[in-house]
């Protein structure tokens, strides 16, 4: 038999690869769906690419690659027999449990037992070889199988530039012993039990003692009394006070000597009287949410205490919180409630999957289609069994209900190379929305761009206060940012009385009074948006000098979907981000037609189109000697802002230099006015200023480097198809080839692509392919209806929790991580981002 298996595997040996250190092995999730070893069909891991595929998608991979050998992983979940002993299973029980899977089902581990099964499957005949099988399998195959089974999570951060590593669940968490000694932790006033320090304090989760942490080289920290207490008592886990939020906290394991995860943290904290859902972390030893009003914010936004009816089916699938990931999940729930995104990704799912690159985990369109299908298919949002529940509860095929889908693969892709979004910290939902739109833009060149529905043009009118002359410019935007004018509050007397009571309570060390929120009329926010604002360091071309200037903004076009951000977040005197506690009466129906731009009015005189003078500092060295000349002073931050808009780097540097580094806005206007000047940046006495691209003559036209185009053409691809692919991948040769293979339908269409700038429909200068259907800017009337709200509970974007409400089929639905329910009281006055769709006049 051993010889038979060896001979059977001989033809496939060259395709079986042992994963090396740093290789990503996807043994917990399908690349195209949310199938896992817990799914009915299990998961197939390719023994060559180490990608995972569900039963529905493994055949596609076999047909595309010819790879025949897969490891099939299956976890069987069964209810325990009556009278069976409870308790959580360790990693291995007589070899029955060996897969490190996230618990994605709503189950009590003491009521179920697990058994993991692994086997090799050879396609296309589906010949199966049970594992382990050391005696009969060739050594290489055995080593490869062991390496796959023992591989770590592919989402563990292996990049040396990233200091943050994915935390693991502590081995003490499931069976942590807690002493019932009556200790109750107060909401503030903590100090070390041994040295009275009031910072860097840790709560031991066994006996409730509060001790200081270790001393740091910077002079901060503590005296290490928490560690001393562990050495004396042996209690393993402690949580840092001030870090506790509804999303988690900083937990440290003394025995494991590392930061860990505690999946039962809420229960462990409740033992000492701490309600995790009502906590908001702070570094000053005082909980922001220890007062009733802040608790009310959490309760109002999450509709706590109301009987919410769970909803199931297509469009009602929740997303599991990965730990401070609610900023991402709420945005994506709203995104896939928009028909244009549904059509672009879910409607084209088969085509996207069929033309996906060899590594679909790194393809944006594939992961968007996967996420959209997961949210809209209803496969992961099935109602609990009713009449069949009693009958099946004792049967092996009974399966616990899922907790929604897991977006770990999607998050890893969209946050790649982004310092903040790739961390495990909470982020600003508005910043992620803009980041996401940029990703859609970059990955939609040559195909349908669903983010067009958000894009609009803003007309900015800048006036010189001295000469009274004006300049009109346009820019692209995706969000209408509304200021919060606190001075317009309608309950000023209540606010003054509250502030007085709060100060008195602080002086007397009494609990603070009930919070009074400022009530700001929406009309005041809209008025503040339309009012003139001062322009710092304004240079007047009429006076040829700096002068006072004011700027007003209006809509040159109205988008199909209007995103409104309430600018609640600001900075305190200590530069710590904080949130304004306000309520705003946001309307269900919004009409902003009165904000339509008018352009140059009768009687207005335009500012001369003259750039600020270029000032070269005096230097005692010979200016005629290029090698003695200092490089020009160019504001690189402005350069990068322009580059993110899609302009070539050479054009951005040139624009910033010739406008005297006066900001991205002035440089943007210069680019628009000088689109026909392809020469590279040249400074008197300096020659040509080098940039990262040596192809300055093609920079403003976004023409890819000619040698890369020629290289692709030498492989037999049409020239226009090569240029289109390079533009779609930022001139990356490897990605461009991948793009061309995954977009073969664009090859014929590419013959007609001109790559020109449509100055009529695209006044902002963004490159537009002539093959694109319709203009890039979708204009219409300015009447809108509210359909989505993203709310934030907490004190700053650095912490807290996001919840979204979406209006579907005439009723509001609340999406709170994996929980989806009908909404009784959507918090329309406490939202952070509001989503409106256009309605007919």
């Amino acid at each position: 038999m051993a010889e038979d298996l060896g001979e059977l595997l001989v033809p496939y040996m060259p395709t079986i690869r042992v994963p090396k250190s740093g290789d990503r092995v996807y043994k917990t999730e399908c690349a195209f769906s949310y199938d896992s070893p817990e799914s009915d069909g299990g998961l197939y891991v390719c023994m060559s690419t180490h990608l995972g595929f569900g039963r529905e998608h493994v055949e596609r991979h076999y047909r595309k690659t010819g790879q025949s050998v897969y490891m099939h992983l299956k976890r069987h979940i069964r209810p325990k027999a009556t009278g069976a002993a409870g308790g959580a299973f360790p990693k291995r029980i007589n070899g029955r449990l060996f897969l490190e899977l996230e618990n994605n089902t709503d189950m009590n581990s003491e009521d179920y037992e697990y058994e993991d099964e692994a086997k090799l499957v050879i396609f296309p005949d589906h010949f199966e070889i049970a594992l382990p099988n050391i005696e009969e399998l060739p050594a290489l195959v055995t080593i490869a199988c062991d390496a796959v089974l023992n591989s770590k999570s592919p989402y563990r951060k292996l990049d040396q530039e990233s200091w943050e590593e994915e935390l693991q669940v502590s081995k003490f968490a499931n069976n942590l012993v807690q002493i019932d000694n009556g200790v109750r932790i107060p909401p503030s006033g903590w100090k070390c039990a041994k040295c009275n320090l009031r910072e860097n304090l840790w709560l031991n989760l066994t006996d409730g003692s509060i001790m200081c942490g270790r001393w740091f080289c910077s002079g901060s920290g503590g005296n290490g009394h928490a560690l001393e207490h562990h050495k004396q008592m042996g209690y393993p886990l402690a949580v840092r006070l001030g870090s506790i939020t509804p999303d988690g906290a900083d937990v440290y394991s003394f025995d494991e000597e590392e930061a860990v995860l505690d999946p039962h943290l809420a229960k462990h904290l409740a033992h000492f009287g701490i309600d995790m859902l009502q906590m908001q972390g702070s570094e000053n030893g005082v909980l922001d949410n220890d007062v009733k009003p802040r608790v009310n914010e959490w309760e109002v936004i999450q509709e706590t205490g109301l009987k919410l009816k769970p909803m199931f089916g297509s469009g009602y699938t929740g997303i599991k919180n990965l730990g401070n990931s609610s900023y991402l999940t709420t945005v994506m729930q709203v995104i896939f409630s928009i028909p244009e995104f549904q059509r672009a990704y879910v409607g084209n799912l088969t085509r996207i999957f069929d033309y996906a690159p060899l590594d679909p985990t790194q393809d944006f369109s594939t992961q968007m289609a996967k996420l959209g299908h997961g949210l809209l298919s209803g496969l992961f949002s099935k109602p609990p069994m009713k009449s069949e529940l009693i009958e099946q509860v004792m049967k092996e095929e009974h399966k616990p209900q899922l907790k929604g889908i897991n977006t770990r693969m999607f998050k890893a892709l969209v946050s790649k190379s982004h310092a903040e979004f790739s961390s495990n910290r909470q982020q600003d939902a508005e910043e992620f929305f803009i980041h996401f739109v940029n990703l859609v833009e970059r990955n939609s060149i040559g195909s349908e761009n669903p983010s067009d529905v958000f894009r609009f043009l803003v007309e900015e009118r800048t006036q010189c206060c001295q000469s009274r002359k004006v300049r009109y410019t346009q820019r692209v935007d995706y969000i209408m940012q509304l200021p919060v004018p606190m001075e317009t509050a309608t309950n000023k007397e209540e606010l003054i009385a509250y502030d007085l009571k709060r100060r008195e309570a602080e002086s007397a060390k009494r609990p603070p009074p009930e919070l009074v929120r400022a009530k700001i009329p929406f009309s005041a926010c809209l008025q503040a948006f339309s009012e003139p604002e001062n322009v710092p360091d304004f240079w007047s071309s009429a006076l040829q000098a700096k002068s006072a200037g004011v700027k007003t903004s209006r809509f040159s076009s109205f988008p199909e979907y209007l995103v409104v951000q309430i600018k609640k977040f600001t900075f305190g005197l200590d530069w710590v981000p904080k949130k304004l506690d306000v309520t705003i009466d946001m309307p269900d129906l919004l009409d902003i037609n009165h904000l339509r731009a008018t352009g140059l009015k009768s009687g207005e005189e335009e500012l001369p189109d003259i750039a600020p003078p270029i000032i070269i500092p005096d230097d005692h060295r010979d200016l005629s000697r290029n090698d003695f000349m200092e490089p020009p002073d160019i504001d690189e931050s402005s350069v990068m802002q322009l580059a993110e808009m899609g302009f070539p780097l050479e054009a951005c540097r040139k624009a910033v230099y010739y406008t005297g580094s006066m900001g991205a806005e002035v440089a943007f206007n210069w680019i628009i006015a000088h689109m026909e000047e392809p020469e590279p940046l040249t400074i008197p006495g300096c020659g040509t200023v080098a940039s990262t691209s040596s192809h300055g003559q093609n920079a403003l036209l976004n023409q890819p480097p000619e040698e890369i185009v020629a290289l692709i053409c030498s492989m037999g691809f049409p020239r226009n198809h090569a240029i289109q692919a390079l533009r779609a991948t930022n001139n990356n040769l490897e990605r461009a080839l991948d793009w061309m293979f995954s977009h073969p339908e664009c090859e014929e269409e590419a013959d007609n692509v001109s790559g020109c700038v449509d100055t009529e429909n695209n006044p902002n200068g963004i490159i537009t392919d002539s093959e694109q259907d319709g203009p890039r800017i979708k204009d219409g009337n300015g009447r809108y209806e509210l359909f989505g709200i993203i709310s934030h509970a907490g004190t700053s974007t650095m912490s807290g929790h996001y919840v979204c409400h979406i209006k579907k089929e005439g009723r509001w639905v609340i999406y709170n991580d994996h929980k989806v329910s009908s909404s009784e009281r959507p918090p329309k006055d406490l939202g952070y981002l509001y989503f409106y769709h256009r309605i007919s006049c």
Side-chain angles (χ1 to χ4, degrees):
M1 182 62 181
E3 294 180 0
D4 293 342
L5 285 180
E7 293 177 1
L8 178 66
L9 289 169
V10 165
Y12 310 108
M13 294 291 283
T15 67
I16 298 177
R17 189 171 63 86
V18 179
K20 297 175 290 188
S21 176
D23 287 354
R24 294 189 294 263
V25 179
Y26 295 92
K27 63 178 182 179
T28 62
E29 182 183 349
C30 173
F32 292 104
S33 71
Y34 292 96
D35 288 333
S36 74
E38 295 180 352
S39 302
D40 291 339
L43 191 74
Y44 294 82
V45 179
C46 174
M47 294 302 291
S48 177
T49 63
H50 304 132
L51 294 169
F53 302 97
R55 185 167 57 189
E56 182 182 352
H57 302 283
V58 65
E59 293 282 356
R60 177 191 290 108
H61 186 257
Y62 164 70
R63 292 193 302 268
K64 178 180 287 189
T65 65
Q67 171 60 29
S68 299
V69 183
Y70 296 82
M71 178 183 289
H72 182 251
L73 302 174
K74 181 72 176 80
R75 169 165 289 181
H76 302 281
I77 307 173
R78 304 181 181 93
K80 284 186 178 179
T82 305
F89 282 91
K91 180 183 177 182
R92 294 179 182 270
I93 300 182
N94 299 324
R96 293 174 59 198
L97 194 65
F98 48 80
L99 294 177
E100 293 183 351
L101 303 181
E102 289 190 358
N103 185 13
N104 192 41
T105 48
D106 189 10
M107 66 180 73
N108 183 339
S109 60
E110 297 181 357
D111 297 332
Y112 295 87
E113 60 182 7
Y114 311 87
E115 182 177 354
D116 290 343
E117 178 186 10
K119 54 190 175 185
L120 285 180
V121 179
I122 301 176
F123 280 66
D125 299 326
H126 292 266
F127 184 82
E128 298 181 355
I129 304 173
L131 296 175
N133 198 338
I134 300 177
E135 296 81 7
E136 301 182 70
L137 292 178
L140 173 65
V141 178
T142 300
I143 294 172
C145 291
D146 286 343
V148 169
L149 289 173
N150 295 316
S151 61
K152 298 296 183 182
S153 167
Y155 311 111
R156 183 185 294 270
K157 296 195 170 139
L158 300 172
D159 187 354
Q160 294 180 355
E161 297 179 1
S162 176
W163 58 269
E164 186 173 11
E165 191 174 89
E166 184 178 341
L167 301 181
Q168 302 299 308
V169 174
S170 171
K171 63 182 180 181
F172 301 103
N174 287 334
N175 300 305
L176 182 70
V177 176
Q178 292 188 286
I179 300 174
D180 190 8
N181 52 11
V183 172
R184 291 293 180 267
I185 305 303
S188 61
W190 313 308
K191 62 182 179 180
C192 177
K194 291 190 176 181
C195 66
N196 293 329
L197 273 181
R198 294 181 177 272
E199 61 180 15
N200 192 23
L201 298 176
W202 293 78
L203 169 68
N204 192 288
L205 290 176
T206 295
D207 64 355
S209 61
I210 297 177
M211 305 281 182
C212 60
R214 295 184 238 189
W215 179 83
F216 303 125
C217 296
S218 62
S220 62
N223 298 314
H225 288 138
L227 180 59
E228 288 182 10
H229 183 69
H230 162 70
K231 291 178 179 179
Q232 294 172 1
M233 308 303 297
Y235 303 150
L237 298 181
V239 59
R240 185 168 65 85
L241 292 173
S243 71
I244 303 171
T245 74
D247 293 321
D250 298 338
V251 181
Y252 186 81
S253 173
F254 296 106
D255 285 338
E256 295 164 288
E257 296 185 339
E258 64 178 349
V260 295
L261 293 177
D262 179 2
H264 310 292
L265 182 60
K267 182 181 74 172
H268 293 157
L269 291 172
H271 180 81
F272 300 108
I274 300 176
D275 187 347
M276 189 170 160
L277 291 179
Q278 298 181 1
M279 303 289 281
Q280 176 55 49
S282 171
E283 287 293 334
N284 59 7
V286 178
L287 291 176
D288 294 327
N289 285 5
D290 59 358
V291 294
K292 182 180 177 182
R294 180 63 72 183
V295 173
N296 283 344
E297 182 186 46
W298 288 85
E299 292 177 347
V300 171
I301 288 176
Q302 300 185 91
E303 302 191 53
T304 305
L306 299 177
K307 293 183 178 180
L308 305 180
K309 179 183 177 182
M311 302 192 70
F312 304 95
S314 175
Y316 301 106
T317 302
I319 302 178
K320 185 178 179 182
N321 195 323
L322 304 175
N324 290 326
S325 64
S326 57
Y327 69 92
L328 179 149
T329 60
T330 51
V331 169
M332 298 315 300
Q333 288 284 12
V334 176
I335 288 295
F336 276 109
S337 70
I338 297 174
E340 284 77 2
F341 281 90
Q342 295 174 3
R343 288 196 298 268
Y345 295 106
V346 184
N348 292 319
L349 181 137
T350 302
R351 181 186 64 81
I352 292 173
F353 283 0
D354 286 343
Y355 292 113
L358 293 180
D359 186 357
T361 67
Q362 302 302 305
D363 181 64
F364 181 79
S365 295
T366 300
Q367 293 308 309
M368 280 290 289
K370 170 184 172 179
L371 176 58
H373 181 261
L375 293 175
L376 300 175
S377 66
L379 295 176
F380 305 93
S381 178
K382 297 180 179 179
M385 292 171 288
K386 297 179 181 178
S387 59
E388 301 175 352
L389 183 60
I390 299 177
E391 179 183 350
Q392 296 188 5
V393 72
M394 300 303 297
K395 295 184 179 181
E396 291 186 356
E397 64 266 21
H398 170 64
K399 297 296 188 298
Q401 296 303 311
L402 293 175
K403 282 186 176 179
I405 60 177
N406 186 326
T407 58
R408 192 177 293 276
M409 187 179 292
F410 177 79
K411 183 178 186 294
L413 175 64
V414 299
S415 63
K416 186 171 58 177
S417 302
H418 194 287
E420 289 301 320
F421 297 140
S422 61
S423 73
N424 289 326
R425 298 182 292 273
Q426 188 64 278
Q427 304 297 330
D428 189 340
E430 180 268 339
E431 291 182 2
F432 176 75
F433 172 80
I434 293 297
H435 173 72
F436 169 77
V437 168
N438 288 333
L439 288 175
V440 176
E441 295 275 357
R442 291 205 299 266
N443 289 276
S444 297
I445 298 178
S447 59
E448 180 184 1
N449 183 357
S451 66
D452 288 348
V453 299
F454 297 123
R455 190 185 304 108
F456 59 92
L457 286 177
V458 177
E459 177 192 86
E460 293 187 340
R461 175 185 182 273
T462 307
Q463 182 175 37
C464 172
C465 295
Q466 189 168 342
S467 67
R468 312 303 297 175
K469 294 183 180 181
V470 298
R471 175 180 294 117
Y472 285 86
T473 58
Q474 289 184 332
R475 62 175 173 83
V476 170
D477 212 335
Y478 298 90
I479 290 185
M480 179 185 189
Q481 296 180 313
L482 289 185
V484 180
M486 297 297 292
E487 67 277 4
T488 64
T490 58
N491 58 338
K492 292 181 180 178
E493 294 182 359
E494 294 180 50
L495 293 172
I496 295 173
Y498 163 74
D499 189 60
L500 181 61
K501 292 179 181 178
R502 181 183 59 82
R503 294 175 184 273
E504 292 176 351
E506 288 179 356
S507 301
K509 296 184 178 181
R510 297 195 308 267
E514 182 173 345
L515 177 67
V516 176
R517 288 191 177 90
K519 298 178 181 179
I520 309 296
F522 173 75
S523 57
C525 298
L526 212 56
Q527 180 65 29
F529 171 84
S530 60
E531 286 181 349
E533 59 179 300
N534 293 325
V535 180
D537 296 323
F538 174 71
W539 188 85
S540 171
S541 58
L543 304 176
Q544 296 285 296
K546 286 189 175 183
S547 173
V550 293
K551 179 178 66 177
T552 55
S553 299
R554 294 291 186 273
F555 286 84
S556 290
S557 67
F558 291 123
E560 188 73 23
Y561 288 83
L562 178 67
V563 184
V564 179
Q565 177 197 16
I566 303 299
K567 298 178 69 174
K568 290 184 175 183
F569 295 104
T570 181
F571 287 92
L573 296 177
D574 53 0
W575 287 92
V576 174
K578 66 177 184 179
K579 186 170 75 173
L580 300 176
D581 244 322
V582 297
T583 63
I584 300 175
D585 55 333
M586 294 296 292
D588 286 304
L589 297 177
L590 174 63
D591 189 341
I592 55 173
N593 279 301
H594 64 284
L595 295 178
R596 169 76 75 171
T598 59
L600 188 68
K601 300 182 183 67
S602 176
E604 289 183 332
E605 185 177 354
E606 289 190 271
L607 284 163
D609 187 15
I610 302 175
I614 301 172
I615 301 176
I616 300 179
D618 294 335
D619 198 306
H620 63 280
R621 292 172 290 191
D622 185 2
L623 297 183
S624 65
R625 301 265 320 263
N626 294 347
D627 50 346
F628 285 95
M629 215 19 215
E630 292 282 354
D633 183 17
I634 297 178
D635 181 7
E636 293 297 336
S637 63
S638 297
V639 174
M640 295 311 298
Q641 288 184 54
L642 293 171
E644 289 176 356
M645 298 180 189
F647 295 111
L649 186 60
E650 182 69 32
C652 302
R653 291 174 59 82
K654 186 176 180 182
V656 171
Y657 177 79
Y658 280 115
T659 54
S661 293
M662 293 184 64
E665 181 182 345
V666 178
F668 173 85
N669 297 329
W670 189 93
I671 287 182
I672 302 305
H674 297 80
M675 291 296 293
E676 302 302 325
E677 299 179 9
E679 293 79 10
L681 175 57
T682 304
I683 309 299
C686 288
T688 300
V689 177
S691 73
T692 56
S693 171
S694 60
H695 308 276
Q697 70 268 23
N698 294 324
L700 286 175
L701 293 178
N702 198 28
Q703 186 75 10
E706 185 58 38
E707 59 266 30
I708 301 181
V709 175
L711 180 61
I712 295 178
C713 291
S714 68
M715 302 178 188
F717 294 101
R719 176 180 175 82
N720 286 336
H721 196 201
I723 293 175
Q724 187 179 6
L726 287 169
R727 286 177 178 163
T729 57
N730 200 23
N731 295 336
N732 183 295
L733 175 60
E734 183 178 354
R735 289 175 54 206
L737 291 173
D738 217 5
W739 188 93
M740 295 174 77
F741 282 114
S742 60
H743 295 75
E745 75 282 357
C746 298
E747 185 169 343
E748 296 180 0
E749 299 173 5
D751 295 335
N752 299 321
V753 174
S754 66
C756 63
V757 177
D758 184 350
T759 56
E760 179 180 355
N761 291 326
N762 194 6
N764 60 313
I766 294 178
I767 302 300
T768 302
D769 295 336
S770 62
E771 68 161 355
Q772 188 164 341
D773 295 328
R776 294 291 300 271
I777 302 298
K778 296 185 177 182
D779 197 5
N781 75 82
R783 282 178 48 82
Y784 295 92
E785 182 178 1
L786 181 67
F787 78 94
I789 308 168
I790 293 180
S791 309
H792 175 270
T795 55
S796 78
T797 55
M798 300 168 61
S799 59
H801 181 62
Y802 287 95
V803 175
C804 75
H805 290 71
I806 304 175
K807 194 174 184 179
K808 292 187 174 182
E809 300 175 340
R811 60 185 174 186
W812 284 95
V813 181
I814 177 173
Y815 293 79
N816 189 1
D817 294 337
H818 65 276
K819 295 176 289 187
V820 181
S821 309
S822 61
S823 173
E824 297 294 330
R825 300 174 190 168
K828 297 179 183 179
D829 58 339
L830 292 177
Y832 175 48
L833 296 178
Y834 294 86
F835 294 80
Y836 288 85
H837 66 86
R838 181 163 32 225
I839 56 178
S840 58
C841 293

